[in-house]
Amino acid sequence: QVQLVESGGGLVQAGGSLRLSCVGSGIIFSVNAEGWYRQAPGKKRELVAAITSGRSTNYADSVKGRFTISRDNAKNTVYLEMNSLKPEDTAVYYCNVRDFIRNYWGQGTQVTVSS
């Protein structure tokens, strides 16, 4: 059974940094595509960053230049490094893995950025 576990969320001051981690089991990250999504109250879930099996990446315009997605194949872990955080980055962040059949989701980790 596929399981994704996120960690690294918390409270940070505007301008600060956090690094989120997503550890997968039951699925191999290196041969699939992964993404980080976020959802704030009253908002729809949106894609923040994604990485392919070939390590090609893409980012939402709102985070480009501030966030970096990466993957450690040996640890089967995907990371999201977040720098220069803004209050509007406050949301629950979810890890997603997509194979050729379906999407898999983690339970989410809360990120709160204070002004």
Side-chain angles (χ1 to χ4, degrees), residues 20-91:
L20 307 183
S21 299
C22 173
V23 180
S25 61
I27 191 167
I28 301 174
F29 284 174
S30 64
V31 298
N32 292 291
E34 295 78 44
W36 286 96
Y37 292 72
R38 67 186 181 189
Q39 187 168 26
K43 303 286 187 179
K44 65 180 181 181
R45 190 172 297 186
E46 65 172 348
L47 176 67
V48 176
I51 186 168
T52 70
S53 61
R55 296 189 185 274
S56 177
T57 60
N58 64 276
Y59 300 90
D61 288 341
S62 60
V63 307
K64 192 172 297 182
R66 300 189 296 121
F67 291 11
T68 302
I69 187 171
S70 62
R71 185 175 66 236
D72 186 329
N73 291 338
K75 296 180 179 179
N76 210 44
T77 300
V78 176
Y79 303 96
L80 183 68
E81 183 177 350
M82 305 183 293
N83 299 312
S84 301
L85 282 161
K86 305 174 180 179
E88 51 262 44
D89 295 319
T90 296

